[in-house]
C-alpha cells in the first residue's frame, strides 16, 4: 500500500496525550533538556478516556501520517478509571481499523507517566522512525484528495 | 386461519391488547412488517423463513409508543435485540408481550423480560456458517487487498442511513451524524466520509451488536457492512467475554472495564 520511496520524508505526527501524566511527562522531557523528534504536535486532553476514536479519524483525514496516544499507566489515572475505559476502546478500534485494511502501525499507544520524561522522548523518536519507515499515508491521502474534489464541486 | 392468526385475533378481541407488530406477506417473496390494531385484520399475519427482519426496531418508536399494550411477533434476531434493549433501559418490562416460536412451530408467550431472557438462552448466538465464511474471506486477505475491498465498497455508499434506521440499537435521538458543530461526518457521500461513517457506526455498536445483520439486509446497495459490526461483536466476545443480547442486566462491554484486561500493543 505505502511505498518507502523518499529518504527525506518527514512524517506528520499528532500526539493525543492526557493532561495529568504524559503531558506533564513531556514537560519534564523539555525541562530535562532531552532532545526528541520535532515532527510531533501534541494535543492535550483531560484524560485518555476523552480521546474519542473519531478524533483519530479526523487526524488522519487532515493529513497525519502517524498518531501517538499516551496517558497514565493503569491504576494511575487521575480520574481512577479513564485509561481502563480507553484501553478497552482501543482494543476494539485497533482491530476494526485492521479489518478495513488500515495499517495499525500508524497508531502508537503508550503509557507515559509524569516522571518518565526520558521514556516520552524514546516513544516519540521510535514512533517517528516507525512512521518514516512506513512512508506517507498515501492510501488515505488519495481519499482526502477525492473528498476535497467532491466538496468543491 | 393458522395458530398465529387465531392467537392474534383472540388477543385483540380480548381488549387487553391494542396492537400486534408482526410480519405480513410482501412483494418478491419477502415478508414486511405489519401493524395490526383490528381483530379482523389478524389474518394478514404470517411467520415463516421469509420473516427474517429484525422488528425490535419498532418497539420504542414514537408512533406506537402510546398504543395500548402491544404484542410483538419475534424471530430470534428480534428476541436478542429486545434483551439488549432491555439491558439498555430502552424498553420496559410489562409494556408488551412477545410471541416467539418453539422449534416445532408452537407459539410461546413471553410476558416478562425474565421469560424472554430464559428463552433467548436456548437460542444460538453467533454467526451462521455463511457469515463466518465471509468474515474469514476478508480476514485472510492481505492488508492492501482488504483496504482495496473496503475502499471499493465504501465508495458506493450513498449515505441513506438505512443501516442506522434498521438497527434496533441505533436509537439515539440525535446521532453524531446530525451534529454539524463540528461536522463529524461529511454531508456529501465521498469515500473518506463514508469510511468514517461506517467506522463510527461499528464502534458505537461495539458490545451491543447482536449480529442480526439487519444493516446489511437494509442496505439498498447491498454493501456487506454488517461484517464491520460482526467484527466488533466477535472482538467483544473474544476480549471481554461479552455477548450482546444474552442478559437483561449486563453492562455494555465498552462502558465497563477490568483492570486485568489484556492487550499486547501498548508500550
Amino acid at each position: 500500500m505505502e511505498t518507502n520511496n523518499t529518504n527525506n520524508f518527514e512524517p506528520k505526527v499528532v500526539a493525543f496525550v492526557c493532561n495529568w501524566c504524559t503531558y506533564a511527562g513531556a514537560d519534564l522531557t523539555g525541562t530535562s533538556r532531552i532532545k526528541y523528534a520535532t515532527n510531533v504536535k501534541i494535543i492535550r486532553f483531560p484524560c485518555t478516556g476523552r480521546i474519542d476514536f473519531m478524533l483519530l479519524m479526523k487526524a488522519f483525514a487532515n493529513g497525519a501520517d502517524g498518531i501517538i496516544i499516551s496517558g497514565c499507566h493503569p491504576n494511575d489515572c487521575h480520574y481512577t478509571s479513564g485509561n481502563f475505559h480507553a484501553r478497552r476502546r482501543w482494543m476494539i478500534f485497533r482491530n476494526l481499523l485492521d479489518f478495513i485494511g488500515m495499517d495499525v502501525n500508524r497508531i502508537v499507544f503508550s503509557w507515559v507517566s509524569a516522571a518518565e520524561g526520558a521514556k516520552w522522548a524514546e516513544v516519540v523518536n521510535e514512533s517517528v522512525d516507525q512512521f518514516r519507515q512506513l512512508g506517507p499515508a498515501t492510501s488515505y491521502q488519495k481519499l482526502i484528495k477525492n473528498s476535497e474534489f467532491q466538496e468543491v464541486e | 386461519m393458522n395458530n398465529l392468526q387465531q392467537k392474534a385475533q383472540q388477543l385483540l378481541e380480548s381488549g387487553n391488547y391494542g396492537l400486534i407488530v408482526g410480519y405480513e406477506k410482501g412483494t418478491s417473496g419477502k415478508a414486511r412488517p405489519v401493524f395490526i390494531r383490528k381483530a379482523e385484520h389478524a389474518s394478514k399475519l404470517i411467520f415463516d423463513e421469509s420473516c427474517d427482519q429484525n422488528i425490535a426496531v419498532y418497539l420504542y418508536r414514537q408512533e406506537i409508543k402510546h398504543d395500548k399494550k402491544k404484542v410483538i411477533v419475534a424471530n430470534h434476531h428480534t428476541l436478542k435485540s429486545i434483551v439488549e434493549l432491555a439491558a439498555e433501559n430502552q424498553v420496559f418490562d410489562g409494556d408488551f408481550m412477545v410471541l416467539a416460536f418453539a422449534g416445532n412451530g408452537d407459539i410461546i408467550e413471553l410476558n416478562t423480560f425474565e421469560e424472554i431472557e430464559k428463552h433467548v438462552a436456548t437460542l444460538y448466538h453467533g454467526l451462521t456458517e455463511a457469515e463466518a465464511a465471509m468474515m474469514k474471506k476478508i480476514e485472510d486477505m492481505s492488508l492492501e487487498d482488504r483496504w482495496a475491498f473496503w475502499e471499493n465498497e465504501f465508495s458506493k455508499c450513498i449515505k441513506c442511513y438505512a443501516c442506522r434506521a434498521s438497527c434496533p440499537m441505533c436509537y439515539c435521538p440525535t446521532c453524531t451524524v446530525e451534529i454539524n458543530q463540528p461536522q463529524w461526518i461529511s454531508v456529501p457521500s465521498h469515500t473518506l466520509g463514508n469510511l468514517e461513517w461506517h467506522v463510527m457506526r461499528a464502534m458505537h455498536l461495539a458490545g451491543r451488536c447482536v449480529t442480526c445483520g439487519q444493516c446489511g439486509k437494509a442496505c439498498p446497495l447491498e454493501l456487506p457492512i454488517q461484517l464491520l459490526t460482526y467484527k466488533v461483536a466477535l472482538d467483544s466476545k473474544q476480549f471481554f467475554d461479552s455477548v450482546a443480547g444474552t442478559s437483561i442486566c449486563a453492562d455494555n462491554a465498552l462502558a465497563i472495564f477490568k483492570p486485568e484486561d489484556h492487550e499486547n500493543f501498548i508500550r
Side-chain angles (χ1 to χ4, degrees), chain A residues 1 53-55 57-58 61 81 84-85 87-89 91-95 98-102 109-111 119 126 130 139-140 142-143 147 150-151, chain B residues 143-144 146-147 150-151 184-186 188 190-192 195-196 200 203-204 228 231-232 235-236 239-240 253 255-259 261-263 265-267:
Chain A
M1 181 168 34
F53 61 89
M54 277 309 285
L55 296 165
M57 298 302 288
K58 290 295 161 189
S81 58
F84 286 129
H85 286 292
R87 181 167 64 179
R88 279 208 162 192
R89 193 184 310 145
M91 287 163 80
I92 296 282
F93 183 60
R94 195 166 175 275
N95 267 23
D98 185 57
F99 186 68
I100 64 164
M102 274 174 81
F109 298 89
S110 71
W111 307 126
K119 183 180 174 184
E126 281 174 10
Q130 185 177 320
S139 49
Y140 219 84
K142 201 177 112 198
L143 299 190
S147 72
Q150 282 211 7
E151 294 206 4
Chain B
L143 197 68
E144 288 81 2
R146 245 177 299 165
W147 177 262
W150 285 111
E151 190 186 357
W184 287 109
I185 305 290
S186 67
H190 47 63
T191 313
L192 176 64
L195 178 142
E196 286 174 345
M200 191 193 80
M203 278 302 289
H204 286 177
L228 298 171
K231 176 69 184 160
V232 295
D235 282 350
S236 301
F239 297 151
F240 316 127
I256 52 166
F257 66 88
K258 283 188 185 138
D261 286 336
H262 181 71
E263 62 17 74
F265 57 86
I266 304 181
R267 290 184 192 181

Coordinates of all heavy atoms in Angstrom, one line a residue, chain A residues 1 53-55 57-58 61 81 84-85 87-89 91-95 98-102 109-111 119 126 130 139-140 142-143 147 150-151, chain B residues 143-144 146-147 150-151 184-186 188 190-192 195-196 200 203-204 228 231-232 235-236 239-240 253 255-259 261-263 265-267:
Chain A
M1 N 0.8 -1.2 0.0 CA 0.0 0.0 0.0 C 0.9 1.3 0.0 O 0.8 2.1 -0.9 CB -0.9 0.0 1.2 CG -1.8 1.1 1.3 SD -3.1 0.9 2.5 CE -2.3 0.0 3.8
F53 N -12.4 8.0 19.4 CA -11.8 7.4 18.2 C -12.0 8.3 17.0 O -11.2 8.3 16.0 CB -12.3 6.0 17.9 CG -13.8 6.0 17.6 CD1 -14.3 6.1 16.4 CD2 -14.7 5.8 18.7 CE1 -15.6 6.1 16.1 CE2 -16.1 5.8 18.4 CZ -16.5 5.9 17.2
M54 N -13.1 9.1 17.0 CA -13.4 10.0 15.8 C -12.3 11.1 15.7 O -12.0 11.5 14.6 CB -14.8 10.6 15.9 CG -15.9 9.7 15.4 SD -15.6 9.1 13.8 CE -15.9 10.5 12.8
L55 N -11.7 11.5 16.8 CA -10.6 12.5 16.8 C -9.4 11.9 16.0 O -8.8 12.6 15.3 CB -10.3 12.9 18.2 CG -11.4 13.6 19.0 CD1 -11.0 13.7 20.4 CD2 -11.6 15.0 18.4
M57 N -9.7 9.6 13.7 CA -10.1 9.5 12.3 C -9.9 10.9 11.6 O -9.4 11.0 10.5 CB -11.5 9.1 12.1 CG -11.9 7.7 12.6 SD -11.0 6.4 11.9 CE -11.7 6.4 10.3
K58 N -10.2 11.9 12.4 CA -10.1 13.3 11.8 C -8.6 13.7 11.7 O -8.3 14.4 10.8 CB -10.8 14.3 12.8 CG -12.3 14.2 12.7 CD -12.9 14.5 11.4 CE -14.2 14.0 11.2 NZ -14.8 14.1 9.8
A61 N -7.7 12.2 8.5 CA -8.4 12.9 7.4 C -7.8 14.2 7.2 O -8.0 14.8 6.1 CB -9.9 13.0 7.8
S81 N -10.4 5.7 36.5 CA -10.6 4.6 35.5 C -10.6 5.0 34.1 O -10.9 4.2 33.2 CB -11.9 3.9 35.9 OG -13.0 4.9 35.8
F84 N -8.6 2.9 31.8 CA -9.1 1.5 31.6 C -10.2 1.5 30.5 O -10.2 0.6 29.7 CB -9.6 1.0 32.9 CG -8.6 0.6 34.0 CD1 -8.7 1.0 35.2 CD2 -7.6 -0.3 33.6 CE1 -7.7 0.7 36.2 CE2 -6.6 -0.7 34.5 CZ -6.7 -0.2 35.8
H85 N -11.0 2.5 30.6 CA -12.1 2.6 29.6 C -11.5 2.8 28.2 O -11.9 2.2 27.2 CB -13.1 3.7 29.9 CG -14.0 3.4 31.0 ND1 -15.0 2.5 30.9 CD2 -14.1 3.9 32.3 CE1 -15.6 2.4 32.1 NE2 -15.1 3.3 32.9
R87 N -8.5 1.9 27.2 CA -7.8 0.7 26.7 C -8.8 -0.2 26.1 O -8.5 -0.8 25.0 CB -7.2 0.0 27.9 CG -6.4 -1.2 27.5 CD -5.5 -1.7 28.6 NE -6.3 -2.1 29.8 CZ -5.7 -2.6 30.9 NH1 -4.4 -2.7 31.0 NH2 -6.5 -3.0 31.9
R88 N -10.0 -0.4 26.7 CA -11.0 -1.3 26.0 C -11.4 -0.8 24.6 O -11.5 -1.5 23.7 CB -12.3 -1.4 26.9 CG -12.1 -2.3 28.0 CD -13.5 -2.9 28.4 NE -13.2 -4.1 29.2 CZ -14.2 -5.0 29.5 NH1 -15.4 -4.8 29.2 NH2 -13.9 -6.1 30.2
R89 N -11.6 0.6 24.6 CA -12.0 1.2 23.3 C -10.9 0.9 22.2 O -11.2 0.6 21.1 CB -12.2 2.7 23.5 CG -12.9 3.4 22.4 CD -13.0 4.8 22.6 NE -13.5 5.1 24.0 CZ -13.1 6.2 24.7 NH1 -12.2 7.0 24.3 NH2 -13.6 6.4 25.9
M91 N -8.7 -1.4 22.1 CA -8.6 -2.8 21.7 C -9.5 -3.1 20.5 O -9.2 -3.8 19.6 CB -8.8 -3.7 22.9 CG -7.7 -3.8 23.9 SD -8.2 -4.4 25.5 CE -8.1 -6.2 25.2
I92 N -10.8 -2.6 20.7 CA -11.8 -2.8 19.6 C -11.4 -2.0 18.4 O -11.4 -2.5 17.3 CB -13.2 -2.4 20.2 CG1 -13.6 -3.3 21.3 CG2 -14.2 -2.4 19.0 CD1 -14.1 -4.6 21.0
F93 N -11.1 -0.7 18.6 CA -10.8 0.2 17.5 C -9.7 -0.3 16.6 O -9.7 -0.3 15.4 CB -10.6 1.6 18.0 CG -10.4 2.6 17.0 CD1 -11.4 2.9 16.1 CD2 -9.2 3.4 16.9 CE1 -11.3 3.9 15.1 CE2 -9.1 4.4 16.0 CZ -10.1 4.6 15.1
R94 N -8.6 -0.7 17.3 CA -7.4 -1.1 16.6 C -7.7 -2.3 15.6 O -7.3 -2.3 14.5 CB -6.3 -1.5 17.6 CG -4.9 -1.5 17.0 CD -3.9 -1.6 18.2 NE -2.6 -1.8 17.7 CZ -2.1 -2.9 17.4 NH1 -2.8 -4.0 17.6 NH2 -0.8 -3.1 16.9
N95 N -8.4 -3.2 16.2 CA -8.8 -4.4 15.3 C -9.7 -4.1 14.2 O -9.7 -4.6 13.1 CB -9.4 -5.5 16.2 CG -8.4 -6.4 16.7 OD1 -7.2 -6.1 16.8 ND2 -8.8 -7.6 17.1
D98 N -7.7 -2.5 11.5 CA -7.0 -3.6 10.8 C -8.0 -4.3 9.8 O -7.6 -4.7 8.7 CB -6.4 -4.5 11.8 CG -5.6 -5.6 11.2 OD1 -4.6 -5.2 10.5 OD2 -5.9 -6.8 11.3
F99 N -9.2 -4.5 10.3 CA -10.2 -5.2 9.5 C -10.5 -4.5 8.2 O -10.8 -5.1 7.1 CB -11.4 -5.5 10.3 CG -12.5 -6.3 9.6 CD1 -12.3 -7.7 9.4 CD2 -13.7 -5.8 9.2 CE1 -13.2 -8.5 8.8 CE2 -14.7 -6.6 8.6 CZ -14.4 -7.9 8.4
I100 N -10.5 -3.2 8.2 CA -10.8 -2.4 7.0 C -9.6 -2.1 6.2 O -9.6 -1.4 5.2 CB -11.6 -1.1 7.2 CG1 -10.8 -0.1 8.0 CG2 -13.0 -1.4 7.9 CD1 -11.4 1.3 8.0
G101 N -8.4 -2.7 6.7 CA -7.2 -2.6 5.9 C -6.3 -1.4 6.1 O -5.5 -1.0 5.3
M102 N -6.6 -0.7 7.2 CA -5.7 0.4 7.6 C -4.5 -0.2 8.4 O -4.6 -1.1 9.1 CB -6.4 1.5 8.5 CG -7.1 2.5 7.6 SD -8.1 3.6 8.7 CE -6.8 4.7 9.2
F109 N 0.4 3.3 20.7 CA -0.2 3.5 22.1 C 0.9 3.4 23.1 O 1.8 2.5 23.0 CB -1.3 2.5 22.3 CG -2.4 2.6 21.3 CD1 -2.4 1.8 20.1 CD2 -3.5 3.3 21.6 CE1 -3.4 1.9 19.2 CE2 -4.6 3.4 20.7 CZ -4.5 2.7 19.5
S110 N 0.9 4.2 24.1 CA 1.9 4.0 25.2 C 1.3 4.6 26.5 O 0.4 5.4 26.5 CB 3.2 4.7 24.8 OG 3.0 6.1 24.9
W111 N 1.9 4.1 27.6 CA 1.7 4.7 28.9 C 2.9 5.5 29.3 O 4.0 4.9 29.4 CB 1.4 3.7 30.0 CG 0.3 2.6 29.7 CD1 0.5 1.3 29.8 CD2 -1.1 2.8 29.5 NE1 -0.7 0.7 29.5 CE2 -1.7 1.6 29.4 CE3 -1.9 4.0 29.3 CZ2 -3.0 1.4 29.1 CZ3 -3.2 3.8 29.0 CH2 -3.8 2.6 28.9
K119 N 11.3 8.4 28.8 CA 10.5 7.4 28.0 C 9.7 8.2 26.9 O 9.6 7.6 25.8 CB 9.5 6.7 29.0 CG 8.8 5.6 28.2 CD 7.8 4.8 29.1 CE 7.0 3.9 28.2 NZ 5.9 3.2 29.0
E126 N 11.1 6.7 18.5 CA 10.9 5.4 17.9 C 9.7 5.4 17.0 O 9.7 4.8 15.9 CB 10.6 4.3 19.0 CG 11.9 3.8 19.7 CD 11.7 2.9 20.8 OE1 10.5 2.5 21.0 OE2 12.6 2.6 21.6
Q130 N 9.4 4.7 13.0 CA 8.5 3.7 12.5 C 7.6 4.3 11.4 O 7.5 3.7 10.3 CB 7.6 3.3 13.7 CG 6.6 2.2 13.3 CD 5.8 1.7 14.6 OE1 6.4 1.6 15.7 NE2 4.6 1.5 14.4
S139 N -2.5 6.0 0.8 CA -3.8 5.4 0.5 C -4.9 6.3 1.1 O -5.9 6.6 0.6 CB -4.0 4.0 1.0 OG -3.5 3.9 2.3
Y140 N -4.6 6.9 2.3 CA -5.6 7.7 3.0 C -5.6 9.1 2.2 O -6.6 9.7 2.1 CB -5.2 7.9 4.4 CG -6.4 8.0 5.3 CD1 -7.0 6.8 5.7 CD2 -7.0 9.2 5.7 CE1 -8.2 6.8 6.5 CE2 -8.1 9.2 6.5 CZ -8.7 8.0 6.9 OH -9.8 8.1 7.7
K142 N -5.2 9.7 -0.8 CA -6.0 9.6 -2.0 C -7.4 9.9 -1.7 O -8.1 10.6 -2.4 CB -5.8 8.1 -2.6 CG -6.2 8.0 -4.1 CD -5.9 6.6 -4.5 CE -7.2 5.9 -4.9 NZ -7.1 4.5 -4.9
L143 N -7.9 9.3 -0.6 CA -9.3 9.6 -0.2 C -9.5 11.0 0.1 O -10.5 11.6 -0.2 CB -9.7 8.7 1.0 CG -9.6 7.2 1.0 CD1 -10.2 6.6 2.2 CD2 -10.3 6.7 -0.2
S147 N -12.1 13.6 -1.7 CA -13.2 14.2 -0.9 C -13.2 15.7 -1.1 O -14.2 16.4 -1.3 CB -13.1 13.9 0.6 OG -12.0 14.6 1.1
Q150 N -14.8 16.5 -4.4 CA -16.2 16.4 -4.4 C -16.9 17.6 -3.7 O -17.9 18.1 -4.1 CB -16.6 15.1 -3.7 CG -16.5 13.9 -4.6 CD -17.5 12.9 -4.3 OE1 -18.4 13.1 -3.5 NE2 -17.4 11.7 -4.9
E151 N -16.2 18.0 -2.6 CA -16.9 19.0 -1.8 C -16.8 20.4 -2.5 O -17.7 21.2 -2.3 CB -16.3 19.1 -0.4 CG -16.6 17.8 0.4 CD -16.6 18.0 1.9 OE1 -16.4 19.1 2.4 OE2 -16.7 16.9 2.6
Chain B
L143 N -3.4 -6.9 3.8 CA -3.8 -5.6 4.3 C -4.2 -4.7 3.1 O -5.2 -4.1 3.1 CB -2.7 -4.9 5.0 CG -3.0 -3.8 5.9 CD1 -3.9 -4.2 7.1 CD2 -1.7 -3.1 6.4
E144 N -3.4 -4.8 2.0 CA -3.7 -4.0 0.8 C -5.0 -4.4 0.2 O -5.8 -3.5 -0.2 CB -2.5 -4.1 -0.2 CG -1.2 -3.4 0.2 CD -0.4 -4.3 1.1 OE1 -0.8 -5.4 1.5 OE2 0.6 -3.8 1.6
R146 N -7.5 -5.9 1.6 CA -8.6 -5.5 2.5 C -9.0 -4.1 2.3 O -10.1 -3.7 2.2 CB -8.2 -5.8 3.9 CG -9.1 -6.9 4.6 CD -8.6 -7.1 6.0 NE -7.2 -7.5 6.0 CZ -6.5 -7.6 7.1 NH1 -6.9 -7.1 8.2 NH2 -5.2 -8.0 7.0
W147 N -7.9 -3.2 2.2 CA -8.2 -1.8 2.0 C -8.9 -1.6 0.7 O -9.9 -0.8 0.6 CB -6.8 -1.0 2.1 CG -7.0 0.4 1.8 CD1 -6.8 1.1 0.6 CD2 -7.5 1.4 2.7 NE1 -7.1 2.4 0.8 CE2 -7.5 2.7 2.1 CE3 -7.8 1.4 4.1 CZ2 -7.9 3.9 2.7 CZ3 -8.2 2.6 4.7 CH2 -8.2 3.8 4.0
W150 N -12.6 -2.7 0.9 CA -13.5 -1.7 1.6 C -13.5 -0.4 0.9 O -14.6 0.3 1.0 CB -13.0 -1.6 3.1 CG -13.4 -2.8 3.9 CD1 -12.5 -3.7 4.4 CD2 -14.7 -3.3 4.2 NE1 -13.3 -4.7 5.1 CE2 -14.6 -4.4 5.0 CE3 -16.0 -2.8 4.0 CZ2 -15.7 -5.2 5.5 CZ3 -17.1 -3.5 4.5 CH2 -16.9 -4.6 5.2
E151 N -12.4 0.0 0.3 CA -12.5 1.3 -0.4 C -13.5 1.3 -1.5 O -14.3 2.2 -1.7 CB -11.1 1.6 -1.0 CG -11.0 3.0 -1.5 CD -9.6 3.3 -2.2 OE1 -8.8 2.4 -2.2 OE2 -9.5 4.4 -2.7
W184 N -18.8 16.1 12.2 CA -18.0 14.8 12.3 C -18.0 14.1 11.0 O -17.0 13.5 10.6 CB -18.6 14.0 13.5 CG -18.3 14.5 14.8 CD1 -19.2 15.1 15.7 CD2 -17.1 14.6 15.5 NE1 -18.6 15.5 16.8 CE2 -17.3 15.2 16.7 CE3 -15.8 14.2 15.1 CZ2 -16.2 15.4 17.6 CZ3 -14.7 14.4 16.0 CH2 -15.0 15.0 17.2
I185 N -19.2 13.9 10.4 CA -19.3 13.1 9.2 C -19.7 14.0 8.1 O -20.7 14.7 8.2 CB -20.4 12.0 9.4 CG1 -20.1 11.2 10.6 CG2 -20.5 11.1 8.2 CD1 -18.9 10.3 10.6
S186 N -18.9 14.1 7.0 CA -19.2 15.0 5.9 C -20.6 14.7 5.3 O -21.1 13.6 5.3 CB -18.1 14.9 4.9 OG -18.2 13.6 4.3
P188 N -21.7 15.3 1.9 CA -21.6 14.6 0.6 C -21.0 13.2 0.9 O -20.3 12.9 1.8 CB -20.6 15.4 -0.2 CG -19.9 16.3 0.7 CD -20.7 16.5 1.9
H190 N -18.6 11.0 -0.1 CA -17.4 10.6 -0.7 C -16.8 9.5 0.1 O -17.2 9.3 1.3 CB -16.4 11.7 -0.9 CG -16.3 12.6 0.3 ND1 -15.8 12.2 1.5 CD2 -16.6 13.9 0.5 CE1 -15.8 13.2 2.4 NE2 -16.3 14.2 1.8
T191 N -15.8 8.8 -0.4 CA -15.3 7.6 0.2 C -14.8 7.8 1.6 O -15.0 7.0 2.5 CB -14.2 6.9 -0.7 OG1 -14.7 6.9 -2.0 CG2 -13.8 5.5 -0.2
L192 N -14.1 9.0 1.8 CA -13.5 9.3 3.1 C -14.6 9.4 4.1 O -14.5 8.8 5.2 CB -12.7 10.5 3.0 CG -12.1 11.1 4.3 CD1 -11.1 10.1 4.9 CD2 -11.4 12.4 4.1
L195 N -16.3 6.1 4.8 CA -15.4 5.2 5.7 C -15.6 5.6 7.1 O -15.8 4.8 8.0 CB -14.0 5.3 5.2 CG -12.9 4.6 6.0 CD1 -11.9 4.0 5.0 CD2 -12.2 5.4 7.0
E196 N -15.5 7.0 7.4 CA -15.6 7.5 8.8 C -17.0 7.1 9.3 O -17.1 6.7 10.5 CB -15.4 9.0 8.8 CG -14.0 9.4 8.6 CD -13.8 10.9 8.5 OE1 -14.8 11.6 8.3 OE2 -12.6 11.3 8.6
M200 N -17.5 4.7 12.5 CA -18.2 5.2 13.7 C -19.4 4.3 14.0 O -19.6 4.0 15.2 CB -18.7 6.6 13.4 CG -19.1 7.3 14.6 SD -20.0 8.8 14.3 CE -21.6 8.2 13.8
M203 N -18.2 1.2 15.7 CA -17.6 1.5 17.0 C -18.7 1.7 18.0 O -18.6 1.3 19.2 CB -16.7 2.7 17.0 CG -15.3 2.4 16.5 SD -14.4 1.1 17.5 CE -14.2 2.0 19.1
H204 N -19.7 2.5 17.6 CA -20.8 2.8 18.5 C -21.7 1.5 18.8 O -22.5 1.5 19.7 CB -21.7 3.9 18.0 CG -21.1 5.2 18.1 ND1 -21.6 6.4 17.6 CD2 -19.9 5.6 18.7 CE1 -20.8 7.4 17.9 NE2 -19.7 7.0 18.5
L228 N -18.7 -5.3 9.5 CA -18.0 -4.4 10.4 C -18.5 -4.6 11.8 O -17.7 -4.6 12.8 CB -18.2 -3.0 10.0 CG -17.6 -2.6 8.6 CD1 -18.1 -1.2 8.1 CD2 -16.1 -2.8 8.5
K231 N -17.5 -7.8 13.3 CA -16.1 -7.8 13.8 C -16.0 -7.2 15.2 O -15.4 -7.9 16.0 CB -15.3 -6.9 12.8 CG -13.8 -6.7 13.2 CD -13.0 -7.9 13.1 CE -11.6 -7.7 13.6 NZ -11.0 -9.0 13.9
V232 N -16.7 -6.1 15.5 CA -16.6 -5.6 16.8 C -17.4 -6.5 17.8 O -17.0 -6.7 19.0 CB -17.2 -4.2 17.0 CG1 -16.3 -3.2 16.2 CG2 -18.6 -4.0 16.5
D235 N -14.9 -9.4 18.5 CA -13.9 -8.9 19.4 C -14.3 -8.7 20.8 O -13.6 -9.1 21.7 CB -13.3 -7.6 18.8 CG -12.3 -7.9 17.6 OD1 -12.0 -9.1 17.4 OD2 -12.0 -6.9 16.9
S236 N -15.5 -8.2 21.0 CA -16.1 -8.0 22.3 C -16.2 -9.3 23.0 O -15.9 -9.5 24.2 CB -17.4 -7.4 22.3 OG -17.4 -6.1 21.6
F239 N -12.3 -10.6 23.6 CA -11.5 -9.8 24.6 C -12.2 -9.7 25.9 O -11.6 -9.8 27.0 CB -11.3 -8.4 24.1 CG -10.5 -8.3 22.8 CD1 -10.6 -7.3 21.9 CD2 -9.5 -9.3 22.5 CE1 -9.9 -7.2 20.8 CE2 -8.8 -9.2 21.3 CZ -8.9 -8.2 20.5
F240 N -13.5 -9.5 25.9 CA -14.2 -9.1 27.1 C -15.3 -10.2 27.5 O -16.0 -10.0 28.5 CB -14.9 -7.8 27.0 CG -14.0 -6.7 26.4 CD1 -14.4 -6.0 25.3 CD2 -12.7 -6.5 26.9 CE1 -13.6 -5.1 24.7 CE2 -11.9 -5.6 26.3 CZ -12.3 -4.8 25.2
A253 N -20.0 -3.7 27.0 CA -18.6 -4.0 27.1 C -17.7 -2.8 27.2 O -16.6 -2.8 27.8 CB -18.2 -4.9 25.8
A255 N -18.5 0.1 28.4 CA -18.9 1.0 29.5 C -18.3 0.6 30.8 O -18.4 1.2 31.8 CB -20.4 1.2 29.6
I256 N -17.8 -0.6 30.8 CA -17.1 -1.2 32.0 C -15.7 -1.5 31.6 O -15.3 -1.4 30.5 CB -17.9 -2.4 32.5 CG1 -18.1 -3.4 31.4 CG2 -19.2 -2.0 33.1 CD1 -18.5 -4.8 32.0
F257 N -15.0 -2.0 32.6 CA -13.6 -2.4 32.4 C -13.2 -3.4 33.4 O -13.8 -3.5 34.5 CB -12.6 -1.2 32.4 CG -12.5 -0.6 33.7 CD1 -11.6 -1.0 34.6 CD2 -13.4 0.4 34.1 CE1 -11.5 -0.5 35.9 CE2 -13.3 1.0 35.4 CZ -12.3 0.5 36.3
K258 N -12.1 -4.1 33.2 CA -11.5 -4.9 34.2 C -10.0 -4.5 34.2 O -9.4 -4.4 33.2 CB -11.6 -6.4 33.9 CG -12.9 -7.0 34.1 CD -12.9 -8.5 34.0 CE -14.3 -9.0 34.1 NZ -14.6 -10.1 33.1
P259 N -9.4 -4.3 35.4 CA -8.0 -3.9 35.5 C -7.1 -4.9 34.8 O -6.1 -4.6 34.2 CB -7.7 -3.9 37.0 CG -9.0 -3.7 37.6 CD -10.0 -4.4 36.8
D261 N -7.8 -6.5 32.0 CA -7.9 -6.6 30.5 C -6.6 -6.7 29.9 O -5.7 -5.9 30.2 CB -8.6 -5.3 30.0 CG -10.1 -5.3 30.3 OD1 -10.7 -6.3 30.5 OD2 -10.7 -4.1 30.4
H262 N -6.4 -7.6 28.9 CA -5.1 -7.8 28.4 C -5.0 -7.4 26.9 O -5.8 -7.8 26.1 CB -4.8 -9.3 28.5 CG -3.4 -9.6 28.0 ND1 -2.3 -9.2 28.7 CD2 -3.0 -10.2 26.9 CE1 -1.2 -9.6 27.9 NE2 -1.6 -10.2 26.9
E263 N -4.0 -6.6 26.7 CA -3.7 -6.2 25.3 C -2.2 -6.4 25.1 O -1.5 -6.6 26.1 CB -4.2 -4.9 24.9 CG -3.7 -3.6 25.6 CD -2.5 -3.5 26.4 OE1 -1.4 -3.6 25.7 OE2 -2.5 -3.4 27.6
F265 N -0.3 -4.3 22.7 CA 0.2 -3.3 21.8 C 0.5 -1.9 22.5 O 1.0 -1.0 21.8 CB -0.8 -3.0 20.7 CG -2.2 -2.6 21.1 CD1 -2.5 -1.3 21.4 CD2 -3.2 -3.5 21.3 CE1 -3.7 -0.9 21.8 CE2 -4.5 -3.2 21.8 CZ -4.7 -1.8 22.0
I266 N 0.3 -1.8 23.8 CA 0.6 -0.5 24.4 C 2.0 -0.6 25.0 O 2.3 -1.5 25.7 CB -0.4 -0.2 25.5 CG1 -1.9 -0.2 25.0 CG2 -0.1 1.2 26.1 CD1 -2.9 0.1 26.0
R267 N 2.8 0.4 24.6 CA 4.2 0.4 25.0 C 4.3 0.9 26.5 O 3.7 1.8 26.9 CB 5.1 1.4 24.2 CG 5.2 0.8 22.8 CD 6.1 1.7 22.0 NE 6.1 1.4 20.6 CZ 6.8 2.0 19.6 NH1 7.5 3.0 19.9 NH2 6.6 1.6 18.4

